Amino acid sequence: MKPLRILFITPYVPSLIRVRPYNFIKFLARRGHRITLLSISSSAQEEQDADRLREWCQCVETVPVSRMRSLWNCVKALPQPEMPLQAVYSFSPRMQKRIRTLLREDSFDVVHVEHLRGARFRGAIRGVPCIYDSVDCITLLFEQAQRIGPSFKHRLMARLDLGRTRRYESHLADWYDHLLVTSSADKEALERLHDGRARGSITVLPNGVDLEYFAPMPIEREQDTLVFSGKMSYHSNMAAVLYLVREIMPRIWEQRPAVKLIVVGKDPPGEVRALAADERITVTGYVKDLRPYLARATVAVCPMRYGVGIQNKVLEALAMATPVVATPQACGALQAKDGRDLLIAAQAPAFAADVLRLLQDEALRRELARNGRQYVERFHNWDTIAASLENVYLEVMERWNNSH
């Protein structure tokens, strides 16, 4: 097929942490498409991440938005009940201007906009079909966070933005030519918000895992070592780690006091860093390469109490052939089977029991490791998912051409 010219707009620079747009770009480029990436950048690290993407993109541009500017955007939005703070956080008039200039000076087949933080940039896009990747339904996330967020501050912020977000997300299908989400639950939530108007205009496109990058490594696994990975500034991850340490680990230590827990992920808040006061717990903060931590661990744990979409941490561990114990909230969007591909436990006592069972049973660990890897190879190959995204582009372009 003829290569597509794609303008990819993101409110953050795609990276190994922002895996969904990163791999969309990487694998679309491998399929021969020509991509121009325009991203908001908020740190020196993101500028370094942008350099890496130049290998696959025809053009990569970043527009800086400082943390102070983002906070000011939120302050200005507070009196506007129709505007979620998430939707203004990364907003930049300079970014809007650059989008208009690119569309005027170049010819694109389709525009792809990522996340609620990028949704407002739709106002700068004219004359070309435009797809919005919601990734998750943020309303659904805030409905959960307001009840069981990890702190009063997180619960308050979710309540503050819930009504605004609900109203805003109810219009997405009216503003964009097509929507993408990562799971059926997120699709159903968005359809409810649209009162049925969005039916047929939302596609579930799951996250994948880079099977070449996240692959079993010739590293000896450490005995009695658990790993939890994720961006630790994200409230759902923070809630999971606190639940793990407060409710699950004491049950494990009661029977195996030497078990170690490694918490891997950038920007751990003070409450998480303080966990390292226990010598059995390591909190790494940002690491350049997650893979050795997954490769050395005996078991990967994912005790999410709430969340939306697909948990990449589960896919990455499975791809590394690391046995996984997870809560239902961590794998509800997956087709993985309990007892075959991973172990699923809803409550702390059962979760601890499954971890102990794996620590004691090497044969079961080997079986889950083999089956978990086979599962992601079958259902979460980024090349296959990129091909599905390519088909969405073509269908939306055809509808657009027929109606214009």
Side-chain angles (χ1 to χ4, degrees):
M1 65 170 291
K2 179 182 176 182
L4 300 178
R5 294 180 56 84
I6 304 163
L7 175 58
F8 217 99
I9 298 170
T10 62
Y12 34 65
V13 177
S15 68
L16 289 173
I17 294 174
R18 307 286 192 182
V19 298
R20 184 171 170 89
Y22 178 88
N23 283 292
F24 277 162
I25 289 167
K26 177 179 178 179
F27 285 88
L28 285 169
R30 284 188 177 183
R31 298 180 67 81
H33 302 299
R34 303 166 69 184
I35 301 165
T36 294
L37 173 64
L38 184 59
S39 295
I40 293 292
S41 171
S42 59
S43 69
Q45 179 61 52
E46 285 199 295
E47 290 296 335
Q48 293 177 24
D49 293 335
D51 287 338
R52 188 171 189 171
L53 291 159
R54 290 185 169 89
E55 175 185 352
W56 303 309
C57 297
Q58 278 205 316
C59 176
V60 175
E61 294 187 28
T62 59
V63 174
V65 173
S66 68
R67 179 171 174 78
M68 286 302 298
R69 174 57 192 255
S70 293
L71 293 174
W72 179 238
N73 285 346
C74 294
V75 169
K76 289 194 299 182
L78 282 173
Q80 306 176 51
E82 76 287 352
M83 187 59 66
L85 303 187
Q86 283 280 324
V88 301
Y89 187 83
S90 299
F91 185 71
S92 163
R94 180 180 166 189
M95 180 80 155
Q96 276 201 313
K97 182 178 180 181
R98 188 58 188 146
I99 292 169
R100 292 190 181 102
T101 300
L102 283 171
L103 290 173
R104 185 172 62 250
E105 294 179 350
D106 209 338
S107 175
F108 294 97
D109 296 302
V110 66
V111 177
H112 182 128
V113 178
E114 164 97 358
H115 200 266
L116 187 61
R117 290 187 178 183
R120 274 191 76 190
F121 295 125
R122 179 66 177 95
I125 300 166
R126 296 286 185 276
V128 62
C130 189
I131 289 172
Y132 171 68
D133 187 1
S134 181
V135 186
D136 310 316
C137 175
I138 306 301
T139 299
L140 183 60
L141 176 65
F142 285 167
E143 286 172 349
Q144 299 172 62
Q146 70 163 342
R147 292 184 287 106
I148 53 174
S151 69
F152 175 76
K153 180 188 77 171
H154 290 100
R155 295 189 294 272
L156 180 63
M157 290 301 297
R159 290 187 189 114
L160 175 65
D161 224 19
L162 175 57
R164 301 162 179 263
T165 304
R166 184 181 286 125
R167 287 187 290 272
Y168 197 83
E169 287 195 315
S170 71
H171 295 292
L172 291 172
D174 302 322
W175 300 335
Y176 285 88
D177 298 298
H178 203 78
L179 309 184
L180 303 174
V181 289
T182 57
S183 77
S184 297
D186 292 273
K187 177 182 178 180
E188 291 165 4
L190 284 176
E191 287 177 340
R192 287 195 300 270
L193 289 174
H194 286 84
D195 293 326
R197 301 192 323 280
R199 296 192 191 284
S201 62
I202 304 177
T203 296
V204 175
L205 208 59
N207 280 353
V209 61
D210 189 332
L211 297 169
E212 297 172 6
Y213 184 81
F214 287 101
M217 301 174 73
I219 296 177
E220 185 176 355
R221 295 199 181 269
E222 297 177 359
Q223 186 177 6
D224 286 353
T225 301
L226 311 181
V227 65
F228 176 92
S229 62
K231 185 182 178 185
M232 291 314 305
S233 58
Y234 180 45
H235 53 88
S236 184
N237 286 336
M238 179 181 173
V241 167
L242 295 177
Y243 173 62
L244 173 63
V245 172
R246 293 169 180 170
E247 302 293 334
I248 297 171
M249 293 307 300
R251 291 176 163 90
I252 294 172
W253 284 325
E254 185 177 355
Q255 296 191 41
R256 294 178 80 105
V259 171
K260 297 174 292 184
L261 171 64
I262 303 176
V263 178
V264 185
K266 68 177 294 190
D267 300 332
E271 198 168 358
V272 173
R273 293 197 304 271
L275 299 176
D278 187 319
E279 63 182 10
R280 296 168 295 187
I281 300 175
T282 301
V283 179
T284 68
Y286 172 78
V287 297
K288 287 186 176 180
D289 192 346
L290 170 64
R291 293 173 299 172
Y293 294 90
L294 294 173
R296 287 195 293 264
T298 322
V299 177
V301 289
C302 190
M304 308 303 290
R305 300 191 67 202
Y306 65 93
V308 290
I310 286 179
Q311 298 297 321
N312 296 315
K313 58 178 68 64
V314 173
L315 298 181
E316 290 162 358
L318 293 174
M320 295 290 297
T322 301
V324 173
V325 180
T327 53
Q329 295 90 330
C331 47
L334 306 181
Q335 299 179 61
K337 299 298 183 182
D338 180 23
R340 185 191 68 188
D341 307 313
L342 75 173
L343 299 182
I344 301 174
Q347 303 299 328
F351 198 102
D354 276 348
V355 172
L356 288 165
R357 179 183 167 203
L358 275 177
L359 293 176
Q360 295 162 4
D361 191 336
E362 183 179 354
L364 179 58
R365 294 200 302 271
R366 286 199 301 267
E367 180 183 353
L368 292 181
R370 180 181 63 253
N371 293 344
R373 173 69 189 187
Q374 291 175 352
Y375 165 77
V376 292
E377 288 174 348
R378 181 179 179 188
F379 292 103
H380 296 279
N381 186 318
W382 271 121
D383 189 53
T384 303
I385 295 168
S388 298
L389 178 57
E390 179 183 282
N391 290 332
V392 171
Y393 288 161
L394 293 173
E395 291 170 8
V396 173
M397 288 164 54
E398 183 177 4
R399 288 203 309 268
W400 168 273
N401 291 331
N402 290 338
S403 61
H404 290 72

